[in-house]
Every structure is written in C-alpha cells, then in structure tokens.
C-alpha cells in the first residue's frame, strides 16, 4: 500500500511538491486532464508527465487520432471528482484513456497527488502504469 504523506507547506504545484518532498522536479507526476473531440462528443484523457516537463498537445493528438484541448476546471471536477492540483492518477468518476510520458519512467519512485490537498504518495513508475492502465508514449515538449 502506498505511504501517503501530507505536507502542510503545500504541494499545489510540481515545484512546491518537489521542494516539500525533497526530490527532483522530474519525479513529480503532473496529472493533466484533456478533452479529445470525438464523433460521439468530448472524451476525457489523462496525461501523466514529469513535473519538470510540458506536454506537447500535437503529440498527444497524434497518439489519440483526435484534436485535444485542456479541460476546464469545472470539467475536471465534475468528471473526475477532484479539484485541479489534487487529481490523482487513478480513482476517477469516469473511465478515461491514460497516457504516461516515457520520461516519467526514468524516475523511481515518482510522487503523485492523492486526491486530497497537500497529500501525495510515492509509487514505482511501472506500478503507476499498471494501476492507471496508462499507455507509454513520447508526448512531452522537447526543450
């Protein structure tokens, strides 16, 4: 079972979380929610990426085969049950496709949001993939 850790000093951003935990920024899991435009309507997609990286939306769209846009705070909360900044990699209200950037696999452990503000947990990247059903992809923006 994951060892949940609470950091009163805050974990609202990847930078805050890395500072609180005392780990590399790349070991922080950013859970980003996007909407992909489908014939049947907008589908939610979860992207797990290093705290030090930015997503390349064109690469994500190419992986999906559909256009994507960032979900609004309201869509995130309504569909996942969590507020932005606390979205965990698992346990959402609705099933969704999940992608994990290959670079995140290079860190162990990685630290992910738990769904509760300021509470995070460590997990091996391979276990994160298994638990979330993520597909590994090259989707980060190259600096």
């Amino acid at each position: 079972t994951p060892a949940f850790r609470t950091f009163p000093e805050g974990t609202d951003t990847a930078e805050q979380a890395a500072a609180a935990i005392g780990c590399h920024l790349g070991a922080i899991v950013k859970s980003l929610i996007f909407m992909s435009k489908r014939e049947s309507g907008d589908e939610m997609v979860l992207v797990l990426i290093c705290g030090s990286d930015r997503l390349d939306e064109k690469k994500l769209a190419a992986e999906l085969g559909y256009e994507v846009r960032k979900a609004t705070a309201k869509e995130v909360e309504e569909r996942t049950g969590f507020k932005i900044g606390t979205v965990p990699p698992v346990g959402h209200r609705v099933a969704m496709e999940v992608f994990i950037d290959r670079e995140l696999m290079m860190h162990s452990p990685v630290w992910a949001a738990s769904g509760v503000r300021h509470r995070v947990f460590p997990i091996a990247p391979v276990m994160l993939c298994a638990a979330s059903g993520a597909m590994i992809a090259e989707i980060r923006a190259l600096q």
Side-chain angles (χ1 to χ4, degrees):
T1 53
F4 291 101
R5 300 232 349 241
T6 301
F7 294 94
E9 59 271 35
T11 58
D12 292 335
T13 67
E15 291 78 11
Q16 282 180 343
I21 294 161
C23 69
H24 186 274
L25 186 56
I28 300 298
V29 178
K30 283 198 293 197
S31 296
L32 307 174
I33 303 285
F34 282 81
M35 303 302 285
S36 66
K37 282 227 172 291
R38 314 276 175 113
E39 295 80 23
S40 58
D42 286 355
E43 293 278 331
M44 195 165 262
V45 178
L46 172 63
V47 173
L48 306 174
I49 193 165
C50 289
S52 54
D53 290 330
R54 284 188 18 257
L55 174 71
D56 183 326
E57 292 184 28
K58 287 186 173 124
K59 289 180 182 177
L60 177 61
E63 286 286 337
L64 285 164
Y66 295 98
E67 285 180 36
V68 296
R69 67 169 171 81
K70 202 164 195 150
T72 65
K74 184 178 178 189
E75 286 171 326
V76 170
E77 194 168 347
E78 283 177 353
R79 297 206 193 183
T80 69
F82 302 100
K83 291 185 184 307
I84 287 178
T86 70
V87 176
V90 295
H92 309 115
R93 282 187 182 147
V94 295
M96 63 186 88
E97 279 187 87
V98 183
F99 289 89
I100 189 168
D101 184 68
R102 186 173 306 285
E103 186 66 21
L104 195 58
M105 303 301 291
M106 303 301 138
H107 300 273
S108 193
V110 292
W111 292 82
S114 70
V116 176
R117 194 157 183 244
H118 301 171
R119 192 187 318 159
V120 295
F121 66 95
I123 188 169
V126 69
M127 296 306 292
L128 179 61
C129 274
S132 65
M135 289 176 279
I136 300 171
E138 305 266 353
I139 50 179
R140 70 188 173 110
L142 299 176
Q143 274 64 331

